[in-house]
Amino acid sequence: MFYVADRTEMQEIDRLTIEEKGVPGILLMERAAITVLEEINSRLKSINADRKLKCLVVVEGGNNGGDGLALARLLYQQGDIVHVCYINGISRVSDSFSYQLEIAKKIGIQVTDHIIDSDYDVVVDGIFGVGLKRDVAGIWRETIETMNGLGGFKVAIDTPSGVDASTGQIMGCAFKAGMTVTFGLNKRGLIFYPGCEISGEVVVRDIGFAQAEVDRVHPVAYSYNRDDLCMLPGRSDSSNKGTYGKLAVIAGSRDMSGAMTFAAEAAYRMGTGLVKIYTHIDNKEIAGVRIPEAVLMCYSNKDEAEQCARDAMEWSDAILIGPGIGKGDAARSMVEYIMCEAVQTVIADADALNIISEKPDILGRHRGPVIVTPHIGEMSRLTGVAIPDIKKNILEVCKDFSMEYNVVSALKDARTCVSDGRDVYINTSGNNGMSTAGAGDVLAGIIAGLVCTGLGAYEAAKLGVYIHGLAGDMAAEHRGRNAMIARDIVSAISEVIKGAEHDGQQ
Ligand SMILES: NC(=O)C1=CN([C@@H]2O[C@H](COP(=O)(O)OP(=O)(O)OC[C@H]3O[C@@H](n4cnc5c(N)ncnc54)[C@H](OP(=O)(O)O)[C@@H]3O)[C@@H](O)[C@H]2O)[C@@H](O)CC1
Ligand SMILES: Nc1ncnc2c1ncn2[C@@H]1O[C@H](COP(=O)(O)OP(=O)(O)O)[C@@H](O)[C@H]1O
Ligand SMILES: [K+]
């Protein structure tokens, strides 16, 4: 697990380290510059350590610029050719910046207020870091556009200037980096789109912030890496299929049979003991062929659908409802009954969410844990917030919705967020090949499977989203991002989780 900071959290960690622990800011700045130097050297001088680089370092008068000046000095002292462009447009110049500027000038680095056109090997952006507060315009915009037009290896210090460190939104215009070296913690703006697309390779380097300060600030957002697969529930030698849960999948309708099979198979692949599919009678044959491991109960009218919902409630340990059920009377009646009566964990996806959005009070009446898995369009219907506004604030929307309804929400997008209303997981696995029909049904099945095999609702949703992305990455490796389809994601689940399997108590 690693924390992902926003602007204010990072500024507070800076402040606590400097003011309360007494670590001089200038010391942090030197470490920051050394880490960027190391990253540049390891990429451009690994074959020939004597290679002389022609470097442009563009700075403004804040601490990001101070980092830039310290880096310029280190490059110069190791024998590279360095030109510094100091824009000199902001009125409040930081003390550390002034200090660095004095040294730079004294040791003979050329500093001008404009970019000298040349063939640079390295172009460094030390204009704005986490202090960026408003849209980039005027002289700053012109400078960034000029820098984007230059060749060479583009390096951003801490954040590319113009990227909002908290949201990843572009503030008017932004430096397009090949690498961003960011300090202490990763930043939300370097993970969310479009910020992540222009940050290039993101390298997170420690520069001496104390863990105690990070813990005190306790950033709201975090993400997983492969070590977190150890959270997968273990399997016990003395188990039987009842040990790993009974999952009711209420899915599929007359015209939609794929959703139920994707979800059911994904749940089985995650280790669920028994899956029972409740679906329209027209899907009976296809379910038997596509997923013979599942038990089946079918309905052909609203009364029978209601019987199915009652059976699901009595029989199962967890209920997944929604994929492909449509919005007919039978579906509405099942959704309302399950959402209001179930005491076991309910995973509500797809059409269940569309039905709920017409009667949102249903969601407030749940008796057991609820996980909702809307994509942005479904969240827009649930909240009435326009899609572009959700996209800009996906983390807050996810957190606020979860808090309002006391549910776990997995708000699906290229960077899915999962929240329980208190903190937020940001997912970094997955790829654009997953923008394919049925990928969401697979996710719902994976999460349901994790609930059945023993995880709590919040952990199941977070780990499920992470595993789903890894399976998508594996599918892309096998098939390519164009050709992969939802079934390939299901097939890849076993490859993702088999390395992390362990024995354990249930
Ligand atoms: N604290 C530390 O000692 C350490 C900090 N470190 C480094 O410092 C960075 C943070 O430094 P920072 O807080 O000085 O802000 P920074 O990003 O340099 O911005 C400068 C100023 O720009 C201005 N401004 C904002 N938006 C603008 C706009 N659109 N157009 C025009 N002007 C705009 C705004 O000033 P304003 O005009 O609002 O008064 C702002 O104050 C951090 O990312 C890391 O690299 C590390 O070395 C570790 C130690
Ligand atoms: N560009 C992308 N990068 C990462 N994940 C993606 C991308 N596009 C889609 N996904 C993931 O694929 C799934 C698509 O779900 P959804 O939109 O509900 O599809 P469907 O309704 O067709 O099943 C989500 O989990 C989403 O996060
Ligand atoms: K920068």
Side-chain angles (χ1 to χ4, degrees):
M1 184 273 243
F2 58 94
Y3 282 121
V4 182
D6 71 358
R7 174 188 308 107
T8 45
E9 290 165 344
M10 205 58 230
Q11 284 172 335
E12 184 61 2
I13 293 167
D14 268 6
R15 192 191 68 76
L16 289 172
T17 306
I18 294 167
E19 289 176 16
E20 300 212 358
K21 286 291 179 295
V23 180
I26 202 84
L27 207 79
L28 295 172
M29 201 168 257
E30 196 67 15
R31 292 259 315 252
I34 291 169
T35 62
V36 182
L37 180 79
E38 286 171 355
E39 298 299 333
I40 292 172
N41 284 347
S42 72
R43 281 161 187 78
L44 300 185
K45 296 199 181 203
S46 61
I47 297 168
N48 176 9
D50 295 330
R51 180 179 173 199
K52 234 187 212 326
L53 301 173
K54 193 164 192 192
C55 310
L56 170 69
V57 182
V58 184
V59 298
E60 190 44 286
N63 288 320
N64 194 254
D67 293 346
L69 287 175
L71 172 68
R73 167 168 43 79
L74 297 174
L75 287 163
Y76 183 80
Q77 286 174 333
Q78 73 174 8
D80 294 317
I81 302 157
V82 182
H83 169 59
V84 170
C85 165
Y86 170 27
I87 301 173
N88 199 358
I90 64 171
S91 46
R92 259 188 304 132
V93 170
S94 92
D95 292 346
S96 299
F97 175 86
S98 303
Y99 187 75
Q100 298 287 0
L101 185 61
E102 213 171 299
I103 303 173
K105 283 181 173 166
K106 274 187 190 156
I107 64 171
I109 296 176
Q110 184 193 25
V111 181
T112 58
D113 62 0
H114 59 280
I115 290 174
I116 295 173
D117 196 21
S118 186
D119 286 332
Y120 294 104
D121 299 305
V122 183
V123 176
V124 180
D125 158 29
I127 306 174
F128 305 123
V130 294
L132 180 80
K133 291 183 199 126
R134 51 190 178 276
D135 272 5
V136 174
I139 181 76
W140 299 284
R141 187 180 183 126
E142 280 167 34
T143 307
I144 289 170
E145 281 168 356
T146 304
M147 290 163 79
N148 285 343
L150 294 171
F153 183 43
K154 308 279 180 52
V155 180
I157 300 179
D158 208 21
T159 60
S161 297
V163 171
D164 183 323
S166 297
T167 63
Q169 294 300 301
I170 307 296
M171 311 279 280
C173 102
F175 178 69
K176 191 159 176 27
M179 172 177 76
T180 298
V181 184
T182 197
F183 307 130
L185 304 180
N186 207 332
K187 315 290 183 297
R188 293 184 195 174
L190 306 179
I191 290 184
F192 283 123
Y193 287 86
C196 66
E197 287 178 304
I198 66 155
S199 303
E201 180 192 357
V202 175
V203 183
V204 184
R205 291 289 304 262
D206 177 29
I207 60 165
F209 299 116
Q211 188 57 40
E213 266 53 69
V214 176
D215 292 341
R216 233 173 108 184
V217 171
H218 198 85
V220 166
Y222 53 96
S223 189
Y224 286 165
N225 54 33
R226 279 179 186 269
D227 292 344
D228 294 296
L229 288 177
C230 69
M231 280 187 285
L232 270 169
R235 288 178 91 83
S236 149
D237 284 343
S238 60
S239 63
N240 59 63
K241 65 177 180 287
T243 318
Y244 305 112
K246 290 189 279 186
L247 175 67
V249 175
I250 304 178
S253 54
R254 290 190 89 154
D255 309 314
M256 186 86 81
S257 61
M260 67 180 183
T261 57
F262 298 149
E265 186 177 345
Y268 264 133
R269 295 281 177 201
M270 290 305 297
T272 307
L274 201 54
V275 177
K276 188 165 177 180
I277 297 176
Y278 298 84
T279 191
H280 191 270
I281 189 79
D282 285 4
N283 296 325
K284 190 172 177 176
E285 263 174 53
I286 198 145
V289 173
R290 290 280 304 279
I291 180 103
E293 296 85 354
V295 182
L296 215 57
M297 183 167 171
C298 295
Y299 60 87
S300 56
N301 56 43
K302 187 169 165 241
D303 287 347
E304 287 170 14
E306 283 167 0
Q307 272 173 37
C308 282
R310 277 194 293 277
D311 186 275
M313 251 206 53
E314 277 157 30
W315 174 82
S316 71
D317 297 313
I319 301 171
L320 163 54
I321 184 163
I325 55 171
K327 284 170 66 182
D329 285 349
R332 282 173 198 281
S333 159
M334 288 189 291
V335 167
E336 193 153 343
Y337 181 76
I338 295 294
M339 295 313 296
C340 299
E341 300 298 330
V343 288
Q344 59 270 69
T345 302
V346 174
I347 299 98
D349 183 42
D351 286 329
L353 299 172
N354 293 328
I355 291 169
I356 291 169
S357 66
E358 289 169 15
K359 243 182 167 181
D361 65 297
I362 300 176
L363 204 50
R365 284 160 50 194
H366 63 89
R367 298 167 64 194
V370 168
I371 303 170
V372 294
T373 55
H375 55 55
I376 302 269
E378 287 157 351
M379 187 53 115
S380 175
R381 285 192 279 277
L382 283 165
T383 56
V385 179
I387 288 176
D389 294 333
I390 297 181
K391 270 191 154 318
K392 273 189 225 151
N393 289 298
I394 184 161
L395 186 144
E396 277 76 21
V397 171
C398 181
K399 183 164 172 278
D400 293 350
F401 186 84
S402 307
M403 173 116 86
E404 183 174 352
Y405 290 100
N406 188 25
V407 296
V408 170
S409 310
L411 179 48
K412 297 180 291 191
D413 198 24
R415 296 287 190 229
T416 294
C417 285
V418 186
S419 181
D420 64 348
R422 285 184 286 272
D423 58 29
V424 184
Y425 165 78
I426 306 172
N427 191 53
T428 52
S429 62
N431 61 81
N432 57 20
M434 300 174 76
S435 307
T436 181
D441 309 321
V442 178
L443 173 66
I446 291 176
I447 294 173
L450 284 169
V451 169
C452 283
T453 53
L455 289 189
Y458 192 28
E459 277 316 322
K462 290 184 286 186
L463 193 61
V465 165
Y466 180 56
I467 289 173
H468 179 244
L470 291 180
D473 290 338
M474 191 71 81
E477 224 173 282
H478 293 320
R479 302 282 192 179
R481 283 176 290 157
N482 277 309
M484 65 184 271
I485 52 176
R487 266 178 284 163
D488 299 322
I489 306 175
V490 179
S491 304
I493 292 173
S494 68
E495 275 181 85
V496 170
I497 64 172
K498 89 178 166 203
E501 274 173 1
H502 57 95
D503 294 331
Q505 298 287 314
Q506 274 288 315

